[in-house]
Amino acid sequence: MWSLIARIWQAGVAAEPAGRLLEPAPPAFRGAPVVDPARCCGSQACVAACPARALSWTAGATGGAPAAWTLDLGRCQFCGLCAEVCPEGAITQTQAYALATRSAAGLRVATAVGEGGKSDA
Amino acid sequence: MSRTVLTGAAAELQAAFPHVPVTAGHGAGEWLAPVPLGELPAVAGWVYAQLGAPLAQAVGVDERPLAGQFRLYYVFSVPDYRQWLVLRADVDPLAPSFPSVTPAVPAAHWYEREIQDMLGLTAAGHPDPRPLVLHAGWPHGTHPLRKDFDGARMPARAPAPAPTGFHGVAGDGTAEVPVGPIHAGIIEPGHFRISTLGEDVLRLEAQLFYTHRGLEKRAEGMTVERGLYLAERICGACALSNAVAYAQAVERLTGAEVPPRAQVLRAVGLELERLYNHVGDLGNLCAGAAALLGNMHLLRLKEQLQRLNEAVVGHRFLRGFAALGGVRRDVGEGALVNLLGVLDQVRSQFLGALDLLAGNGVFQDRMRTTGVLRRDVAEQLGVVGVAARASGIGRDLRRDHPYLVYGGLDVPVPVYPQGDVWARFQVRAEEALASFRLIADLAEQLPAGPVQADIGPVPPLRHAIGWVESPRGANLHFVMTGPDSTIYRYMVRTASYPNWAAVPSTLPGNLVPDFPLINKSFELCYACLDR
């Protein structure tokens, strides 16, 4: 019995206090990728490489509207390939993990990138 | 090109069957023997009986667009020579049937039923030719792995016939207890039919393949690079084992060499996978006997190990680590020091939990003599991994067909003859303790250098196997490229494949409440089996 009590004492409290739940993830953690709008050149290398078809790039409407780089977090596997293949190093895989939204549409995150129509794809 | 000299089992096979031209396959140790279809059972039976080589995998491929034939590949493991013997036979599309190998090699049973379902080739003389993969309602005569079946289209559902061919039981005091596919817990679906007389189990029958997702079909046409991300997601608990086995198959296809640092890092990851699985599985085993104190302690430790995975590799289930030609990212010095520190601390608590459970008489009584898997049954059905080692069969791919750096490591292979739940508990506990030490040894010998190499061009029309000893046992991945070097056929057979077939034999003679305990003592993967 005493060894059992010693074991309980040693194990301590396993439940995490609420404040600890939203601590940053460790540096190695694979979180959501983000794009640097200034660096995206519209090569669409990321779109081609994505195993989950989570990425799309649409040219801006005529008149100089910016292009849109869209990531569907509902499809994203957080593998980080997009960041690896980007020729301009425009994509960074962050440690962001608090990604829940209240609608499916909210999972599709569009970022305005580059200058409208600039593409060699 | 000079003729390769046949060695070991390949030489013996050639001597026994001089008219079968045995040639070297791709990758060291692989040998290919094209066998006339009518002689397939005789040759397979000879390999199994005379060479003592267990059947490791059997694959059916629709090669009609390539060679005008269907082809069957039976892969046998010969640990004494560290060789794989692959028997290949052609099946004429106009006579789509083949002589079943199962009467001579019982371990072939499920592979042949799967080939029947998925390719529509009849296994003539198979002792149990019922459908295995396709459930009631699947349209008759539609075979998903045929090349003319469009995987993107949903076929029309056929009206389901009467239930599935369970034998069941009848008589005074008997009952048929159905369990699942929806279970009492967040676990995968499978249906079990327990025939009982009072509380005693007379027979267990199972219907699996509820999580069949058609992954092998989905892989066809993918580049080998994209295939890795599919391999990683066949299963959650064997994510890294499957990814590495797949990567190794592709690397054998291209002749790529994985840099030494990457080999050690892969091994560290694989041992981390073994560790969190074994600790968690022991916890689940406790739950099977309602030994909740043990369950809680071990699940607490499993959580710490999964956080460790995240800190070292970036993912709790070790996804995103394996790459073709190595690993995706290096592991820094700081992360390694932290890794060893956490492992040290988890290990001492793990020993404490084991101690606690060893002293619990009720729990010990529940485990001993329960759910015995007989050695002869395990042998004939080709059982692997923990279940095999707990039934007296000392097999472990890390020692028998060494890969990565395991050839140079002292990998203990604990073997227990009893075959009961307790034996499977002990094997896992010893292997987990061994993994703590192996990781420390690996970290110590980690060489400098790159962590990934270019695998080079992918040759067309070539096949190779890759293998890893996952926490449950031997995982084999068969990868074949097509004329455009994309994946033409991908067949995954994990440890759960042969082992699931053996589970029903362990129930008779036990009580109904022993069913969850026995199931958890095997802790097999449904997703890995079903694909």
Side-chain angles (χ1 to χ4, degrees):
Chain A
M1 184 185 84
W2 293 111
S3 65
L4 183 61
I5 292 173
R7 193 94 52 211
I8 294 171
W9 185 261
Q10 182 194 39
V13 176
E16 306 271 298
R20 285 202 58 192
L21 287 176
L22 290 173
E23 278 185 354
F29 180 76
R30 292 187 179 281
V34 295
V35 69
D36 179 345
R39 288 176 136 181
C40 176
C41 67
S43 75
Q44 299 196 64
C46 57
V47 175
C50 178
R53 292 191 291 236
L55 287 168
S56 60
W57 182 94
T58 39
T62 48
W69 179 92
T70 306
L71 168 64
D72 186 343
L73 287 169
R75 291 179 144 262
C76 180
Q77 292 177 351
F78 306 96
C79 65
L81 270 188
C82 51
E84 268 178 38
V85 304
C86 176
E88 302 297 322
I91 302 178
T92 315
Q93 184 169 32
T94 67
Q95 281 80 53
Y97 62 85
L99 304 170
T101 64
R102 289 179 189 276
S103 69
L107 287 174
R108 288 184 285 278
V109 180
T111 311
V113 290
E115 286 164 26
K118 183 167 132 189
S119 161
D120 59 1
Chain B
M1 186 167 109
S2 61
R3 216 154 36 123
T4 316
V5 173
L6 302 181
T7 59
E12 292 189 41
L13 177 64
Q14 183 73 94
F17 301 95
H19 60 293
V20 170
V22 182
T23 56
H26 295 289
E30 240 177 275
W31 298 87
L32 184 66
V35 175
L37 187 63
E39 296 180 38
L40 188 56
V43 179
W46 181 91
V47 172
Y48 176 52
Q50 299 307 321
L51 291 182
L55 178 70
Q57 184 176 32
V59 189
V61 190
D62 182 358
E63 291 190 37
R64 290 176 298 169
L66 304 179
Q69 311 263 25
F70 290 97
R71 277 204 167 133
L72 306 173
Y73 297 79
Y74 288 77
V75 181
F76 289 85
S77 146
V78 195
D80 290 345
Y81 293 115
R82 295 186 175 175
Q83 290 178 328
W84 302 93
L85 291 183
V86 183
L87 304 184
R88 188 186 75 196
D90 293 349
V91 177
D92 184 350
L94 297 175
S97 108
F98 62 97
S100 169
V101 162
T102 301
V105 183
H109 64 152
W110 277 22
Y111 301 107
E112 293 189 332
R113 288 168 69 187
E114 182 170 326
I115 289 169
Q116 285 195 141
D117 286 353
M118 305 304 275
L119 287 166
L121 308 177
T122 308
H126 194 294
D128 180 12
R130 292 174 297 166
L132 179 70
V133 180
L134 303 175
H135 287 190
W138 184 267
H140 182 69
T142 307
H143 304 287
L145 281 179
R146 286 193 172 201
K147 290 294 177 180
D148 48 356
F149 176 84
D150 179 3
R153 217 181 34 84
M154 169 117 62
R157 197 183 161 86
T164 49
F166 288 125
H167 298 290
V169 70
D172 263 345
T174 64
E176 257 184 77
V177 181
V179 180
I182 299 173
H183 294 297
I186 305 176
I187 63 177
E188 300 164 279
H191 182 79
F192 301 96
R193 200 64 75 85
I194 312 176
S195 298
T196 71
L197 177 66
E199 283 232 40
D200 294 323
V201 175
L202 296 173
R203 172 200 259 131
L204 171 72
E205 298 174 271
Q207 177 170 49
L208 301 167
F209 290 91
Y210 280 87
T211 60
H212 175 70
R213 292 147 286 163
L215 293 183
E216 294 179 356
K217 183 80 176 179
R218 182 69 188 85
E220 292 176 10
M222 280 189 176
T223 61
V224 297
E225 288 79 17
R226 201 162 271 225
L228 178 66
Y229 293 90
L230 192 70
E232 229 179 24
R233 283 162 182 77
I234 295 168
C235 157
C238 316
L240 187 61
S241 296
N242 281 329
V244 172
Y246 170 85
Q248 292 186 157
V250 174
E251 285 147 11
R252 284 163 74 85
L253 275 179
T254 69
E257 294 249 349
V258 174
R261 185 176 178 87
Q263 291 194 33
V264 175
L265 287 176
R266 278 184 176 180
V268 169
L270 289 171
E271 292 308 313
L272 281 173
E273 185 166 76
R274 191 178 327 279
L275 204 45
Y276 90 78
N277 269 278
H278 278 357
V279 170
D281 292 351
L282 288 173
N284 290 335
L285 200 161
C286 291
L292 292 183
L293 182 62
N295 175 237
M296 288 294 124
H297 269 301
L298 290 165
L299 290 191
R300 181 176 63 82
L301 295 178
K302 181 192 176 191
E303 172 63 21
Q304 290 184 28
L305 289 170
Q306 289 207 270
R307 290 186 185 195
L308 184 60
N309 292 344
E310 191 178 71
V312 174
V313 146
H315 198 285
R316 290 167 62 95
F317 291 92
L318 303 166
R319 286 185 181 153
F321 188 49
L324 296 183
V327 295
R328 299 262 317 274
R329 274 195 233 160
D330 204 348
V331 176
E333 188 60 44
L336 284 172
V337 168
N338 173 63
L339 162 69
L340 295 175
V342 172
L343 285 182
D344 219 21
Q345 186 244 108
V346 171
R347 181 180 177 277
S348 72
Q349 294 191 58
F350 179 60
L351 285 168
L354 291 178
D355 223 12
L356 200 65
L357 293 166
N360 185 322
V362 174
F363 183 49
Q364 293 291 321
D365 186 55
R366 285 298 306 276
M367 289 196 289
R368 290 179 196 251
T369 72
T370 303
V372 172
L373 173 60
R374 280 172 33 188
R375 189 195 163 129
D376 59 338
V377 173
E379 188 74 66
Q380 285 171 34
L381 293 182
V383 167
V384 294
V386 171
R389 294 189 281 276
S391 288
I393 301 173
R395 275 193 204 122
D396 188 317
L397 289 181
R398 294 176 292 171
R399 184 199 58 193
D400 300 339
H401 290 275
Y403 52 97
L404 298 174
V405 292
Y406 286 108
L409 289 176
D410 172 29
V411 177
V413 180
V415 179
Y416 284 74
Q418 295 89 345
D420 55 8
V421 169
W422 178 86
R424 291 187 281 279
F425 184 103
Q426 288 299 108
V427 168
R428 280 199 183 85
E430 282 190 35
E431 286 181 11
L433 289 169
S435 287
F436 285 109
R437 181 181 54 75
L438 282 169
I439 295 172
D441 289 350
L442 287 164
E444 209 169 291
Q445 56 161 267
L446 184 62
V451 294
Q452 190 177 6
D454 185 5
I455 60 169
V458 180
L461 300 171
R462 202 175 267 198
H463 62 84
I465 46 174
W467 61 90
V468 163
E469 182 79 12
S470 80
R472 271 153 282 281
N475 285 11
L476 266 74
H477 290 229
F478 175 100
V479 179
M480 178 184 282
T481 52
D484 57 356
S485 294
T486 60
I487 296 173
Y488 188 81
R489 177 75 170 102
Y490 178 38
M491 198 272 176
V492 177
R493 158 266 121 109
T494 65
S496 298
Y497 200 102
N499 288 12
W500 264 121
V503 170
S505 75
T506 67
L507 262 296
N510 293 282
L511 302 177
V512 172
D514 289 327
F515 170 65
L517 177 61
I518 294 170
N519 227 12
K520 287 185 162 3
S521 72
F522 285 97
E523 198 69 2
L524 300 174
C525 233
Y526 299 73
C528 267
L529 164 72
D530 299 352
R531 294 153 288 144

